[in-house]
Amino acid sequence: QLQLQESGPRLVKPSETLSLTCTVSGGSVSSSTYYWGWIRQPPGKGLEWIGSVYYGGSTYYNPSLRSRVSISLDTSKNQFSLKLYSVPAADTAVYYCARISSSWGTSWFDPWGQGTLVTVSS
Amino acid sequence: EIVLTQSPGILSLSPGESATLSCRASQTVSSSYLAWYQQKPGQAPRLLMYGASSRATGIPDRFSGRGSGTDFTLTISRLEPEDFAMYYCQHYDNSRWTFGQGTKVEIK
């Protein structure tokens, strides 16, 4: 059964870089069948897609975050990572990683990691 | 950019009743490009439906989805205590994934 686990610093200072890693077990990030994605949820608010990566290295970002986000794959460690640069306090959120399935032109997130709360504060 | 608007914001119902949740797209979308998720407090979202009307693995048949064009619905027939939660719709198009703002189904 595929499982995903987020890891990384829980506290980041304003203007610094938020870095998270998602470790995948029970499956391979090298699979050509799936994308891999990051989603965040500020406290008490809804879900926001951050970006996605495909095994060949192609990346796709939310236009609202594109200027300061980077997502990459590490196939040797079966992981994918998120970097969010120059973070303000508004980037405080629970960050989730998820596998993305696609079929007949549609696409959905399943399963999800448990999520990790990252707080941006000095 | 497609915007998804969910209504109502809060739905207050009793166990055993049926719930109808709406997800409206800002422009016509393919009905197969919509998914629904359930999220309980402190938990990650869980996939309920994909392709607008296909249930994910392990999802009971009291959950159903339908719709076309710009209007989509998730129906929960015979609400069970474990169904009281937040629900989000999600759309995919042109390498962009979008979520609605959510509907909370609460116990009346």
Side-chain angles (χ1 to χ4, degrees):
Chain A
Q1 182 180 359
L2 188 82
Q3 292 186 315
L4 303 95
Q5 178 68 58
E6 304 89 351
S7 61
R10 307 297 177 92
L11 180 64
V12 180
K13 290 182 168 55
S15 78
E16 296 190 344
T17 298
L18 182 158
S19 297
L20 293 174
T21 297
C22 183
T23 301
V24 177
S25 58
S28 173
V29 299
S30 300
S31 169
S32 61
T33 307
Y34 302 105
Y35 293 71
W36 305 90
W38 288 96
I39 306 98
R40 70 180 181 178
Q41 184 172 37
K45 296 188 178 180
L47 302 167
E48 180 182 33
W49 168 66
I50 299 170
S52 305
V53 61
Y54 191 50
Y55 88 106
S58 300
T59 51
Y60 311 90
Y61 299 128
N62 187 321
S64 68
L65 297 169
R66 180 175 290 135
S67 63
R68 55 188 191 93
V69 66
S70 176
I71 296 175
S72 59
L73 277 175
D74 186 339
T75 56
S76 66
K77 296 181 179 178
N78 214 32
Q79 298 174 333
F80 60 104
S81 298
L82 167 71
K83 289 189 183 298
L84 191 59
Y85 304 100
S86 303
V87 295
D91 284 343
T92 294
V94 175
Y95 286 76
Y96 296 99
C97 60
R99 184 181 69 177
I100 303 171
S101 297
S102 299
S103 176
W104 295 100
T106 188
S107 185
W108 60 92
F109 300 91
D110 180 57
W112 297 56
Q114 66 183 26
T116 186
L117 174 63
V118 179
T119 301
V120 178
S121 174
S122 55
Chain B
E1 177 188 355
I2 292 174
V3 176
L4 300 178
T5 302
Q6 292 186 241
S7 61
I10 300 174
L11 196 52
S12 298
L13 295 167
S14 300
E17 292 189 298
S18 291
T20 301
L21 287 66
S22 172
C23 177
R24 176 165 290 178
S26 57
Q27 57 187 276
T28 298
V29 301
S30 167
S31 61
S32 66
Y33 288 24
L34 203 76
W36 289 91
Y37 302 84
Q38 177 193 68
Q39 186 180 33
K40 297 179 181 179
Q43 296 184 16
R46 176 176 73 145
L47 177 70
L48 292 176
M49 314 288 301
Y50 63 95
S53 60
S54 298
R55 277 185 296 275
T57 303
I59 301 303
D61 60 8
R62 64 179 182 273
F63 290 89
S64 63
R66 60 179 297 176
S68 64
T70 60
D71 294 313
F72 300 86
T73 58
L74 174 71
T75 300
I76 314 169
S77 60
R78 308 178 307 279
L79 280 163
E80 297 286 343
E82 62 267 27
D83 298 336
F84 292 91
M86 282 292 295
Y87 292 84
Y88 295 94
C89 58
Q90 172 251 309
H91 176 260
Y92 167 78
D93 185 45
N94 195 26
S95 302
R96 181 179 297 186
W97 291 259
T98 308
F99 291 94
Q101 84 280 17
T103 289
K104 181 180 182 180
V105 178
E106 65 174 23
I107 299 177
K108 187 174 181 180

